[in-house]
Amino acid sequence: MQTLDRTPSLIDALRTRRLKLAALVDFPVVLWSGQSSPRNFRANTFPFRASSHFLYFAGLPLENAVIRLEGGKLTLFIDEASPASALWHGETPKRDEIAAAIGATEAYPLSELKPEDKDKGEILKANPSKWANGAATIGVQDRETHVGQFVMCQRNVFRDVGRIEGIDLELAQAIVSLRLIHDDLALAEMRKAATVSIAAHKAGMAATRKARVEAEVRAAMEAVIIANGMTCAYSSIVTVHGEVLHNDQYHHPIQPGDLLLADVGAETVSGWAADITRTWAVSGKFSPTQRSLYNVVLAAHDACIAAIRPGVEYRDLHLLAARTIAAGLVDLGILHGQVDALVEQDAHALFFPHGVGHILGLDVHDMEDLGDLAGYEAGRTRSDRFGLNYLRLDRPLQAGMVVTSEPGFYQVPAILQDPERRATYQNVVDWDRLAQFADVRGIRIEDDVLVTETGAEVITAALPTDAEAIERLVQG
Ligand code: GLY
Ligand code: MN
Ligand code: MN
């Protein structure tokens, strides 16, 4: 972090978040930002990404920093850069400047954060803002910092959601309730991420006809994100093998008859994400079979968005997508049967095996470090049904949540060639008819949707979804 703006709106928003947390918990909270992990030796690291819980309350991606929150008060712990660091990394802001930028009232070196110590107890009581012991925390992802959390808190700090307990669990529940409902600062950041992601998708479409391999399209897309000073919110998926749901390979040649699926989203400097998928024809023109399946997926995508409003169960949106896809496949002669009965027996999941989406925020699957604590309403657990077990969100929607709508159609060999599944669904799938759609391996259409008081706002709506508009963008 080289530059620092002291923005009153940032300081105000962070203070409001702290005060809201203080109203929910009556114990101190200590949050670590974490540090970059070594790649092949200590000085050559993976890019640093601050913990999202830290970012939510500190606002800045500070490496190796700790914040302590109590009663709305913020104390920062961070070391000043050493002279050697200035040689390799340039000048960085001073501790007091950082503290002022985020509204911290006290700031100390990291060594001043102390576990409670019987011998020093009296001294520490005189300055309680330096205590870590007795405070709640959330386990960070990098191992080195995580081990340090055990030492400082003098107890186990669990990351597996089933094992988080006591005040750590109370803290996680409080943070979930805050981070589920986005404030203006969060929404402004997510809109920035959306705008850049939309430009990236348009660049990818425009680059496709001249590209020889997937990597060239990925490069055109990520170039836009990098040029805007952002990073990718997750590993980009840019592939002619859209049936591999989280494909992370980019070496396949792209041919005129292929569909290309691109799931690419930007992340702002302070960590807020966008998550967009579009699928287009490499030639710039969908074949008749591609177009008909594309329109089935689009119908499901649009139906879900039209149904989004406060109070609606997200699980019902998933089932609406499932019914819309099943109905479309019946119309195309790929499935036989009555739509509700097909969904009841999970026949849609042969082609749409994942959930229709998830919450979005500082993480692309927001707060998934806490397992299903954020995604699932208290008392609910994952279904073991083939058509429901990958559903990441099962809550009634509330105004201020941002969710994705991302139905898809895939021909996954591991599912469709599985002898048991073929036996189960032998009478509902017309396998000969399905073979006529061999030029469709994977289609997904994904947008980011803000739940408003009265309905929904698609924050990624400036990127078209209809087949003809996509064709025009690819054709340039
Ligand atoms: N980009 C990952 C997802 O859509 O869930
Ligand atoms: Mn998504
Ligand atoms: Mn995505």
Side-chain angles (χ1 to χ4, degrees), residues 121 220 310 392 451:
R392 296 179 194 276
V451 183

Side-chain angles (χ1 to χ4, degrees), residues 234 263 275-277 406 444 446:
Y234 51 91
D263 184 344
D275 183 12
I276 304 180
T277 309
E406 53 176 305
R444 179 163 64 254
E446 175 174 30

